[in-house]
Amino acid sequence: MTTQRYERLYEKIDASLKDRSASDALLRCMKRGRDTRAAALETLPGGTAFRNDVRKAKERCIEDLPRLKKQFIENVEKRGAKVFEAKTPADVIKYCIDLAKERGATHLAKSKSLTTEEIELNRPLMDAGIDVVETDLGELIIQLVNEKPFHLVFPSVHKMAPEVAKIFEKATGKPVEGNIPSIMKVVRKYLRPIFLNAEIGMTGANIGIAETGAICIETNEGNARNVSSIGKCHICVMGMEKIVETIEDAMLMILAHPVSASGQLPTTYVTWMHGRNPLGEGDGKNARESHIIILDNGRTEMRDDPDYRESLYCIRCGACMNVCPTSGIVGGHTFGHIYPGPMGICWTAAVHGLETAGNFAPLCISCGLCKEICPAIIDMPHMIAEIKHRDAKKHGYPLPNKVMMGADKAARLGSVTAAVANFSLNTRAIRKLMDKTIGLSADRNVPPFTYPTFMQRFKDHRLKVVAPQRKVAFFVDVYANYNDPDLGMAAVRQLEALDCEVVLPPQDASGYPFIAYGDLDRARKTAAGNVAKLFPYANQGYDIVSIEPTATYSLAESYPHLLKNNNASRRVADHTHELFEYLNKLEEDTGNAPMSRSLKGRKFGFHIPCHQRALGSGHGAIEWLRRRGAEVEVIETGTCCGMGGTFGLKAGLLGHKLSMAVGDALFDLFKAAEIDAIVTESSVCKIQLAEGTGLEVFHPLQLL
Amino acid sequence: MNAEIKFDFAECFEKLSGVAHAVPSEKAAVDEIISIITSKEAKCVALANLPKKLVTAIEKRCDGIKVLKEPYAAETLPAAIDEADVGITGIAFAIAQSGTLVETTTNDAVRLVSALTPTYIGVLRKADIVNRFEDGSARIREIVKEHDENLVISFISGPSRTGDIELKLTLGVHGPGEAHAVIIGK
Ligand code: SF4
Ligand code: SF4
């Protein structure tokens, strides 16, 4: 990434950090989205099980897309609508302008369509003399001020009522009171003639059904109903990935989309159009028409590219935006081009170019949360890593990212030269220099290095189990090895106390920073190396137990992905366990319940590191602490603490500063909670929470 | 296990700010409809997709109120229906789990009646309520099979709503701000 590119991004981040009013509104919106989703899932039979169904349906329909598209087109035409397959944005623009000219139409009412935004359709239509009006309230506000959507579902969430009132004052030329009921009356009145007089109604489609040739349009406001029923000519612009096979598939999407976005099932209105209805009697059969434009614009290439294909599973629910930590602070104008948020990186890369996506992809801190909330379980974190990787091939990696990717080597050196290294880390002047030169934030309290390392100490460790019941291959990762060998040894003792034979297989650090910063060549190499080293153990019946959540996530989730689910990586993943979930199980199996309730009377606030959400969400550690008498409360905002692995260790806007802004809301919760201390299993979250809250932060093992 | 859950349409519809009226007979349905029309002080009512008998019964009771009904002359639309204060349409079936009324039609005049009016009333039979959301699929397939060409199916789950300004839920921005379901059957 060139310096210039970085500077532009810095400026934008800086501006959002200085004026938090927009991001405060956005954060409220995101939280609402997450909360309502969670509440809806409580009442939905099967809970989150629908995600697997959506995933399967999308996999099947995209795999079969050429056939389904053909079937869809045949059925649409049978029902009397016309189909136009558009390769490029220019094709759509030309088709619409020609059609409007032929019909002598100059008034076009539009309901929300991200696909038309993708190709920036409004401007050229207006330049051709067509009066285009967005009728979804949020989109209309955005159109009137000539902005791009701030959020996928709530495009104008950053505009407060008084500002909106001003916008409509300008549009109507009449005074508008700055409260929502008054604004609504004005909007209804303003838009009514636009609906009634539209010659062309333009909609998107959330779904196309191959089986029946129907398109489904979802709205809450009902504007798409007006738009699709009044104008003589209806145009629907849809991405070709919206085609599903059956009515059942459509019903599934109609549920999954709003449940994920806003906890509704379904949106207030869903319009299933088959062909075009007449309006009233006596106009003759052909008076009204419907044109369905199926857009490619790079989708065929996406489908053919195994690294991009999953993007086509996106149903545009916006849930990933509701959870993405950095997008929540900087907003969709910075974290996005036209498509905002996590899916915005993927879709931008595919339809607006790698270069454009690369401009904001560094904002992704690879927390993995978007995948965990996505109804189609799209692996955005890895797709984004791929995008960063492709981008870096052209532009290289910025120095701070290189430093973080070399953290393992640095730690090795730091440990050997512990005294010197720690002196440097504790010396303000040297830290300032490091901040400036290599981008390690001077304001971070980084843990000191120790010598000997865990690995060296383990060599001298004699097995203390007489009749081992289980065999454990221990995976240690950077922190417990170089910074806190005591912690590693404590874990080993716990395992041994429960009759495990613990061995330390040869291993490298998990290498997650390679994924986070998009060096997939080295990520793959590390993954292959570790899998090769661990596979023989998995094969010999060893359970692999890891102490660091990100390392467990790497072994269980990332490596199989990086290694294309090969047999060895699957096997290693299947044998990988989180430490506490494993200890609990052993306690149950051996009947070896903890002897003392030594933590009785103590109350801890528990922090779930993001990567743990894909695993057991900390249930293992929480249960383990409770068995020892502790009172444990999970304290969470539903998103990240801001550290994002090593992201928050970096200096400046694209590091420490943004990281602290992300963490703010969580810090407040911890500070307000009545707890003795914070507990988390992640070594980096620990640094973040200690700095952000001023409270003590422990690893569960440190409490004994 | 999930299949056992029995959803209550009225309860789910009301959670979405709709108003459900369970009535034992068509006669009682007319009473209910008239009482809504009266309470809204409606001057004009638009009807569509309803059985003839019901149309006649409603019309009879609409003293001094303009009643629009099918067939709607194409040249009067959409303006004519835009005049109506209350729109009433017949509903093909409803989904209890999601509080959804499903309106089907081959003429968009019907859609305007349920979309443009400030107060909307959907009329359905109790027997036409399916339980789970996915139960709707089979009904839709049947309906679609009956029509080779044009057809529009509309899911209506409560009144028109938006949260686009400050995320505050506001009803009736474009469509009806009030949605009623009159459910006929014992
Ligand atoms: S991985 Fe995390 S930071 Fe990256 S896009 Fe997804 S939610 Fe955002
Ligand atoms: S990527 Fe997933 S969560 Fe994000 S908008 Fe698409 S479907 Fe929704």
Side-chain angles (χ1 to χ4, degrees):
Chain A
M1 185 184 251
T2 59
T3 330
Q4 218 186 16
R5 249 172 134 199
Y6 248 126
E7 271 161 14
R8 264 200 310 273
L9 183 57
Y10 280 161
E11 274 165 28
K12 285 186 178 179
I13 301 172
D14 196 29
S16 4
L17 291 182
K18 280 195 181 120
D19 175 12
R20 292 289 295 273
S21 61
S23 76
D24 284 348
L26 180 59
L27 290 174
R28 275 198 300 279
C29 158
M30 293 164 60
K31 183 164 177 342
R32 167 90 73 84
R34 294 195 301 269
D35 291 351
T36 48
R37 172 185 181 269
L41 293 182
E42 289 275 307
T43 63
L44 192 69
T48 54
F50 75 94
R51 296 174 70 224
N52 293 319
D53 300 339
V54 172
R55 171 88 194 182
K56 275 193 214 123
K58 275 293 183 183
E59 277 176 0
R60 167 171 44 83
C61 296
I62 295 299
E63 178 61 33
D64 211 7
L65 188 57
R67 183 182 70 83
L68 296 180
K69 182 156 70 92
K70 198 165 154 264
Q71 189 188 3
F72 174 70
I73 293 171
E74 278 166 17
N75 281 323
V76 168
E77 287 173 345
K78 251 191 234 159
R79 290 182 177 278
K82 296 193 179 61
V83 175
F84 174 63
E85 288 188 80
K87 194 94 200 118
T88 65
D91 294 343
V92 181
I93 294 164
K94 184 173 182 314
Y95 188 89
C96 293
I97 293 177
D98 288 352
L99 189 64
K101 285 216 171 108
E102 265 172 46
R103 304 293 182 268
T106 52
H107 290 88
L108 187 152
K110 220 172 143 230
S111 71
K112 183 172 178 166
S113 150
L114 291 167
T115 311
T116 61
E117 273 165 41
E118 171 188 322
I119 57 173
E120 299 184 87
L121 180 59
N122 289 4
R123 181 49 47 206
L125 295 189
M126 287 163 91
D127 290 346
I130 304 163
D131 186 19
V132 179
V133 183
E134 294 284 353
T135 61
D136 170 86
L137 177 55
E139 294 287 329
L140 174 62
I141 295 170
I142 291 299
Q143 187 191 26
L144 289 173
V145 292
N146 204 8
E147 281 184 22
K148 285 174 183 170
F150 202 68
H151 185 279
L152 207 64
V153 180
F154 297 102
S156 63
V157 65
H158 57 305
K159 306 261 180 240
M160 300 296 112
E163 192 183 348
V164 176
K166 288 254 146 49
I167 295 171
F168 281 105
E169 243 171 45
K170 212 172 142 211
T172 59
K174 287 190 195 121
V176 180
E177 277 178 58
N179 61 70
I180 297 176
S182 312
I183 297 172
M184 286 301 161
K185 278 195 202 116
V186 172
V187 171
R188 193 173 165 109
K189 222 168 134 196
Y190 176 74
L191 283 177
R192 207 30 90 97
I194 288 165
F195 285 125
L196 298 180
N197 299 325
E199 294 142 328
I200 300 178
M202 180 178 280
T203 69
N206 297 82
I207 304 157
I209 309 174
E211 178 192 357
T212 60
I215 53 163
C216 301
I217 315 162
E218 303 166 20
T219 69
N220 279 316
E221 296 179 2
N223 52 323
R225 299 194 75 207
N226 297 348
V227 165
S228 65
S229 58
I230 297 175
K232 273 203 156 107
C233 179
H234 165 243
I235 303 176
C236 161
V237 184
M238 65 183 281
M240 64 189 227
E241 81 284 6
K242 299 284 169 60
I243 298 170
V244 299
E245 188 170 6
T246 63
I247 293 171
E248 283 76 8
D249 292 336
M251 287 291 273
L252 178 61
M253 304 305 158
I254 285 170
L255 193 92
H257 179 201
V259 158
S260 309
S262 56
Q264 288 172 281
L265 45 131
T267 51
T268 306
Y269 300 108
V270 185
T271 300
W272 305 52
M273 283 179 85
H274 309 70
R276 191 81 205 280
N277 277 350
L279 180 65
E281 309 295 330
D283 235 5
K285 229 179 148 12
N286 297 321
R288 286 156 56 85
E289 55 194 331
S290 179
H291 299 253
I292 297 179
I293 303 178
I294 305 173
L295 177 68
D296 189 322
N297 198 26
R299 287 160 173 82
T300 300
E301 286 84 25
M302 284 164 91
R303 186 171 167 275
D304 293 340
D305 184 334
D307 291 314
Y308 281 4
R309 182 184 254 221
E310 280 192 28
S311 295
L312 297 172
Y313 304 164
C314 173
I315 57 172
R316 306 283 197 272
C317 70
C320 52
M321 280 207 81
N322 288 346
V323 80
C324 177
T326 43
S327 157
I329 298 295
V330 301
H333 291 163
T334 303
F335 199 124
H337 170 57
I338 292 174
Y339 286 121
M343 61 74 79
I345 301 181
C346 308
W347 272 84
T348 302
V351 302
H352 297 122
L354 186 60
E355 188 76 19
T356 312
N359 288 340
F360 63 97
L363 283 165
C364 165
I365 60 176
S366 206
C367 69
L369 293 176
C370 45
K371 180 186 173 195
E372 296 316 307
I373 203 169
C374 173
I377 322 180
I378 299 174
D379 200 337
M380 282 168 274
H382 281 102
M383 217 184 308
I384 294 167
E386 177 65 34
I387 289 163
K388 288 175 179 168
H389 181 63
R390 292 186 188 184
D391 188 67
K393 284 234 159 104
K394 228 170 123 194
H395 296 287
Y397 297 95
L399 182 63
N401 295 4
K402 276 196 213 156
V403 171
M404 292 306 157
M405 288 192 283
D408 171 37
K409 280 212 187 88
R412 210 175 304 158
L413 186 70
S415 174
V416 176
T417 58
V420 183
N422 291 336
F423 172 75
S424 310
L425 289 176
N426 285 323
T427 309
R428 193 72 200 148
I430 299 181
R431 285 298 298 278
K432 277 216 159 127
L433 190 67
M434 290 168 104
D435 187 313
K436 286 239 149 41
T437 51
I438 62 167
L440 173 71
S441 171
D443 302 320
R444 280 295 187 191
N445 212 344
V446 273
F449 295 112
T450 44
Y451 187 83
T453 63
F454 170 83
M455 290 202 181
Q456 281 151 337
R457 278 176 60 182
F458 191 87
K459 267 192 224 145
D460 304 327
H461 174 74
R462 292 285 153 258
L463 182 68
K464 305 212 173 55
V465 189
V466 190
Q469 300 295 311
R470 279 178 199 252
K471 302 191 289 184
V472 168
F474 193 67
F475 193 83
V476 60
D477 215 10
V478 178
Y479 175 77
N481 190 29
Y482 297 111
N483 305 95
D484 197 351
D486 285 345
L487 189 67
M489 292 311 293
V492 170
R493 275 192 299 276
Q494 288 287 327
L495 289 162
E496 289 179 343
L498 291 162
D499 300 333
C500 294
E501 172 206 332
V502 182
V503 300
L504 190 67
Q507 56 190 271
D508 297 315
S510 67
Y512 196 81
F514 295 136
I515 298 175
Y517 299 114
D519 187 345
L520 292 185
D521 294 333
R522 281 201 284 170
R524 273 192 200 100
K525 216 171 130 202
T526 311
N530 271 334
V531 164
K533 286 169 185 149
L534 295 171
F535 179 61
Y537 288 85
N539 255 353
Q540 288 163 39
Y542 279 86
D543 292 324
I544 301 160
V545 175
S546 148
I547 189 172
E548 183 78 39
T550 293
T552 321
Y553 182 80
S554 301
L555 294 173
E557 298 274 327
S558 308
Y559 289 0
H561 183 98
L562 289 167
L563 302 175
K564 304 212 167 358
N565 266 314
N566 69 16
N567 176 42
S569 68
R570 276 268 44 108
R571 210 167 159 87
V572 167
D574 292 344
H575 278 75
T576 296
H577 302 269
E578 286 195 278
L579 175 67
F580 291 99
E581 153 242 296
Y582 194 74
L583 290 176
N584 293 340
K585 183 93 180 34
L586 286 178
E587 285 180 5
E588 283 152 25
D589 292 354
T590 56
N592 226 332
M595 302 294 268
S596 84
R597 295 178 60 82
S598 55
L599 297 176
K600 198 165 165 42
R602 304 197 56 190
K603 188 169 174 199
F604 301 107
F606 190 87
H607 168 67
I608 307 172
C610 295
H611 288 155
Q612 209 169 31
R613 293 194 187 262
L615 309 163
S617 287
H619 286 310
I622 294 167
E623 171 64 21
W624 188 85
L625 289 166
R626 287 188 180 146
R627 286 182 188 182
R628 279 149 187 81
E631 203 181 316
V632 188
E633 184 192 343
V634 174
I635 294 180
E636 58 182 340
T637 54
T639 173
C640 176
C641 72
M643 194 56 150
T646 56
F647 174 82
L649 292 176
K650 295 191 292 172
L653 288 165
L654 204 56
H656 189 218
K657 283 200 178 130
L658 182 52
S659 147
M660 293 309 278
V662 169
D664 267 345
L666 183 64
F667 303 155
D668 288 344
L669 289 183
F670 272 114
K671 284 192 271 187
E674 285 173 17
I675 50 172
D676 301 342
I678 301 174
V679 177
T680 187
E681 289 165 78
S682 157
S683 56
V684 276
C685 299
K686 190 173 160 184
I687 303 174
Q688 173 85 340
L689 294 173
E691 181 180 336
T693 65
L695 296 168
E696 282 190 299
V697 188
F698 296 105
H699 187 279
L701 289 177
Q702 290 176 319
L703 293 171
L704 291 188
Chain B
M1 167 200 98
N2 294 335
E4 308 305 331
I5 301 177
K6 186 92 186 89
F7 295 98
D8 179 356
F9 172 80
E11 194 187 311
C12 296
F13 190 67
E14 299 208 327
K15 257 193 228 144
L16 302 169
S17 317
V19 189
H21 313 257
V23 293
S25 63
E26 259 178 44
K27 197 178 157 299
V30 175
D31 291 342
E32 202 63 46
I33 290 167
I34 295 300
S35 106
I36 300 167
I37 294 174
T38 320
S39 76
K40 299 274 69 161
E41 295 175 11
K43 294 189 182 60
C44 176
V45 178
L47 313 178
N49 237 11
L50 292 164
K52 275 221 174 69
K53 234 176 80 190
L54 209 57
V55 173
T56 320
I58 295 171
E59 225 181 344
K60 245 198 211 149
R61 304 266 305 269
C62 281
D63 227 9
I65 300 170
K66 187 168 167 192
V67 177
L68 308 171
K69 56 179 185 175
E70 291 158 313
Y72 288 91
E75 66 273 13
T76 65
L77 296 180
I81 294 173
D82 186 43
E83 230 189 281
D85 307 300
V86 176
I88 311 174
T89 68
I91 288 303
F93 73 98
I95 306 173
Q97 180 180 1
S98 56
T100 302
L101 300 170
V102 182
E103 175 196 270
T104 69
T105 180
T106 53
N107 196 305
D108 279 348
V110 177
R111 290 213 280 155
L112 292 189
V113 172
S114 55
L116 288 181
T117 46
T119 298
Y120 167 67
I121 307 172
V123 184
L124 74 148
R125 301 204 163 268
K126 194 171 174 204
D128 287 324
I129 301 177
V130 301
N131 186 37
R132 293 172 314 163
F133 193 71
E134 58 260 47
D135 297 337
S137 301
R139 292 296 290 262
I140 290 175
R141 185 169 283 108
E142 276 167 35
I143 294 164
V144 172
K145 273 205 181 125
E146 284 162 20
H147 300 86
D148 296 333
E149 294 187 346
N150 60 294
L151 164 74
V152 176
I153 302 173
S154 306
F155 285 14
I156 303 171
S157 311
S160 154
R161 57 158 75 198
T162 183
D164 274 352
I165 304 180
E166 297 180 6
L167 298 178
K168 301 220 169 81
L169 174 65
T170 317
L171 302 178
V173 54
H174 309 299
E178 253 183 56
H180 299 260
V182 173
I183 310 153
I184 307 172
K186 289 201 179 110

PDB file of all heavy atoms in Angstrom, chain A residues 152 314-320 343 374-375 378 380, ligand 2:
ATOM      1  N   LEU A 152     -25.867  -0.580   5.352  1.00  0.00           N
ATOM      2  CA  LEU A 152     -26.557  -1.313   4.294  1.00  0.00           C
ATOM      3  C   LEU A 152     -28.079  -1.278   4.453  1.00  0.00           C
ATOM      4  O   LEU A 152     -28.819  -1.081   3.493  1.00  0.00           O
ATOM      5  CB  LEU A 152     -26.076  -2.774   4.336  1.00  0.00           C
ATOM      6  CG  LEU A 152     -26.114  -3.579   3.063  1.00  0.00           C
ATOM      7  CD1 LEU A 152     -25.191  -2.997   2.028  1.00  0.00           C
ATOM      8  CD2 LEU A 152     -25.701  -5.019   3.352  1.00  0.00           C
ATOM      9  N   CYS A 314     -24.124 -14.014  -0.461  1.00  0.00           N
ATOM     10  CA  CYS A 314     -24.584 -12.892   0.370  1.00  0.00           C
ATOM     11  C   CYS A 314     -26.025 -12.529   0.042  1.00  0.00           C
ATOM     12  O   CYS A 314     -26.384 -12.347  -1.119  1.00  0.00           O
ATOM     13  CB  CYS A 314     -23.687 -11.685   0.134  1.00  0.00           C
ATOM     14  SG  CYS A 314     -24.275 -10.198   0.934  1.00  0.00           S
ATOM     15  N   ILE A 315     -26.864 -12.423   1.073  1.00  0.00           N
ATOM     16  CA  ILE A 315     -28.252 -12.028   0.843  1.00  0.00           C
ATOM     17  C   ILE A 315     -28.485 -10.577   1.285  1.00  0.00           C
ATOM     18  O   ILE A 315     -29.626 -10.164   1.468  1.00  0.00           O
ATOM     19  CB  ILE A 315     -29.255 -12.997   1.518  1.00  0.00           C
ATOM     20  CG1 ILE A 315     -28.996 -13.095   3.027  1.00  0.00           C
ATOM     21  CG2 ILE A 315     -29.193 -14.370   0.868  1.00  0.00           C
ATOM     22  CD1 ILE A 315     -30.070 -13.888   3.779  1.00  0.00           C
ATOM     23  N   ARG A 316     -27.407  -9.839   1.475  1.00  0.00           N
ATOM     24  CA  ARG A 316     -27.481  -8.397   1.728  1.00  0.00           C
ATOM     25  C   ARG A 316     -28.300  -8.052   2.978  1.00  0.00           C
ATOM     26  O   ARG A 316     -29.095  -7.119   2.966  1.00  0.00           O
ATOM     27  CB  ARG A 316     -28.123  -7.669   0.541  1.00  0.00           C
ATOM     28  CG  ARG A 316     -27.505  -7.905  -0.797  1.00  0.00           C
ATOM     29  CD  ARG A 316     -26.220  -7.098  -0.932  1.00  0.00           C
ATOM     30  NE  ARG A 316     -25.824  -6.990  -2.318  1.00  0.00           N
ATOM     31  CZ  ARG A 316     -25.060  -7.868  -2.948  1.00  0.00           C
ATOM     32  NH1 ARG A 316     -24.603  -8.922  -2.316  1.00  0.00           N
ATOM     33  NH2 ARG A 316     -24.746  -7.668  -4.213  1.00  0.00           N
ATOM     34  N   CYS A 317     -28.091  -8.832   4.022  1.00  0.00           N
ATOM     35  CA  CYS A 317     -28.881  -8.574   5.222  1.00  0.00           C
ATOM     36  C   CYS A 317     -28.247  -7.491   6.084  1.00  0.00           C
ATOM     37  O   CYS A 317     -28.911  -6.879   6.918  1.00  0.00           O
ATOM     38  CB  CYS A 317     -29.042  -9.858   6.028  1.00  0.00           C
ATOM     39  SG  CYS A 317     -27.512 -10.403   6.800  1.00  0.00           S
ATOM     40  N   GLY A 318     -26.960  -7.275   5.916  1.00  0.00           N
ATOM     41  CA  GLY A 318     -26.292  -6.233   6.696  1.00  0.00           C
ATOM     42  C   GLY A 318     -25.872  -6.666   8.093  1.00  0.00           C
ATOM     43  O   GLY A 318     -25.323  -5.861   8.843  1.00  0.00           O
ATOM     44  N   ALA A 319     -26.116  -7.909   8.458  1.00  0.00           N
ATOM     45  CA  ALA A 319     -25.773  -8.341   9.820  1.00  0.00           C
ATOM     46  C   ALA A 319     -24.274  -8.200  10.090  1.00  0.00           C
ATOM     47  O   ALA A 319     -23.866  -7.849  11.188  1.00  0.00           O
ATOM     48  CB  ALA A 319     -26.209  -9.781  10.045  1.00  0.00           C
ATOM     49  N   CYS A 320     -23.450  -8.467   9.062  1.00  0.00           N
ATOM     50  CA  CYS A 320     -22.003  -8.366   9.279  1.00  0.00           C
ATOM     51  C   CYS A 320     -21.603  -6.943   9.639  1.00  0.00           C
ATOM     52  O   CYS A 320     -20.687  -6.721  10.411  1.00  0.00           O
ATOM     53  CB  CYS A 320     -21.239  -8.868   8.052  1.00  0.00           C
ATOM     54  SG  CYS A 320     -21.720  -8.127   6.492  1.00  0.00           S
ATOM     55  N   MET A 343     -18.876  -7.316   4.083  1.00  0.00           N
ATOM     56  CA  MET A 343     -19.163  -7.822   2.745  1.00  0.00           C
ATOM     57  C   MET A 343     -18.777  -6.781   1.706  1.00  0.00           C
ATOM     58  O   MET A 343     -18.547  -7.113   0.545  1.00  0.00           O
ATOM     59  CB  MET A 343     -20.624  -8.249   2.602  1.00  0.00           C
ATOM     60  CG  MET A 343     -21.688  -7.194   2.811  1.00  0.00           C
ATOM     61  SD  MET A 343     -21.880  -6.011   1.477  1.00  0.00           S
ATOM     62  CE  MET A 343     -22.823  -6.981   0.328  1.00  0.00           C
ATOM     63  N   CYS A 374     -23.080 -14.178  10.022  1.00  0.00           N
ATOM     64  CA  CYS A 374     -23.617 -14.214   8.652  1.00  0.00           C
ATOM     65  C   CYS A 374     -24.600 -15.379   8.458  1.00  0.00           C
ATOM     66  O   CYS A 374     -24.271 -16.519   8.761  1.00  0.00           O
ATOM     67  CB  CYS A 374     -22.472 -14.341   7.654  1.00  0.00           C
ATOM     68  SG  CYS A 374     -23.043 -14.580   5.968  1.00  0.00           S
ATOM     69  N   PRO A 375     -25.807 -15.105   7.944  1.00  0.00           N
ATOM     70  CA  PRO A 375     -26.769 -16.177   7.746  1.00  0.00           C
ATOM     71  C   PRO A 375     -26.295 -17.222   6.732  1.00  0.00           C
ATOM     72  O   PRO A 375     -26.764 -18.354   6.750  1.00  0.00           O
ATOM     73  CB  PRO A 375     -28.014 -15.454   7.240  1.00  0.00           C
ATOM     74  CG  PRO A 375     -27.543 -14.151   6.729  1.00  0.00           C
ATOM     75  CD  PRO A 375     -26.341 -13.798   7.553  1.00  0.00           C
ATOM     76  N   ILE A 378     -20.675 -17.014   5.478  1.00  0.00           N
ATOM     77  CA  ILE A 378     -19.649 -16.673   4.488  1.00  0.00           C
ATOM     78  C   ILE A 378     -18.336 -16.400   5.213  1.00  0.00           C
ATOM     79  O   ILE A 378     -18.299 -15.648   6.172  1.00  0.00           O
ATOM     80  CB  ILE A 378     -20.075 -15.428   3.672  1.00  0.00           C
ATOM     81  CG1 ILE A 378     -21.375 -15.741   2.923  1.00  0.00           C
ATOM     82  CG2 ILE A 378     -18.969 -15.003   2.725  1.00  0.00           C
ATOM     83  CD1 ILE A 378     -21.958 -14.556   2.200  1.00  0.00           C
ATOM     84  N   MET A 380     -15.934 -14.453   5.375  1.00  0.00           N
ATOM     85  CA  MET A 380     -15.362 -13.162   4.989  1.00  0.00           C
ATOM     86  C   MET A 380     -13.961 -12.937   5.525  1.00  0.00           C
ATOM     87  O   MET A 380     -13.116 -12.388   4.825  1.00  0.00           O
ATOM     88  CB  MET A 380     -16.289 -12.036   5.427  1.00  0.00           C
ATOM     89  CG  MET A 380     -17.473 -11.867   4.508  1.00  0.00           C
ATOM     90  SD  MET A 380     -18.698 -10.786   5.235  1.00  0.00           S
ATOM     91  CE  MET A 380     -19.614 -11.945   6.215  1.00  0.00           C
TER      92      MET A 380
HETATM   93  S1  SF4 C   2     -22.139 -11.164   4.043  1.00  0.00           S
HETATM   94 FE1  SF4 C   2     -23.583 -12.363   5.274  1.00  0.00          FE
HETATM   95  S2  SF4 C   2     -24.028 -11.035   7.019  1.00  0.00           S
HETATM   96 FE2  SF4 C   2     -23.067  -9.738   5.491  1.00  0.00          FE
HETATM   97  S3  SF4 C   2     -24.767  -8.848   4.339  1.00  0.00           S
HETATM   98 FE3  SF4 C   2     -24.138 -10.697   3.260  1.00  0.00          FE
HETATM   99  S4  SF4 C   2     -25.449 -12.301   4.055  1.00  0.00           S
HETATM  100 FE4  SF4 C   2     -25.588 -10.614   5.476  1.00  0.00          FE
END
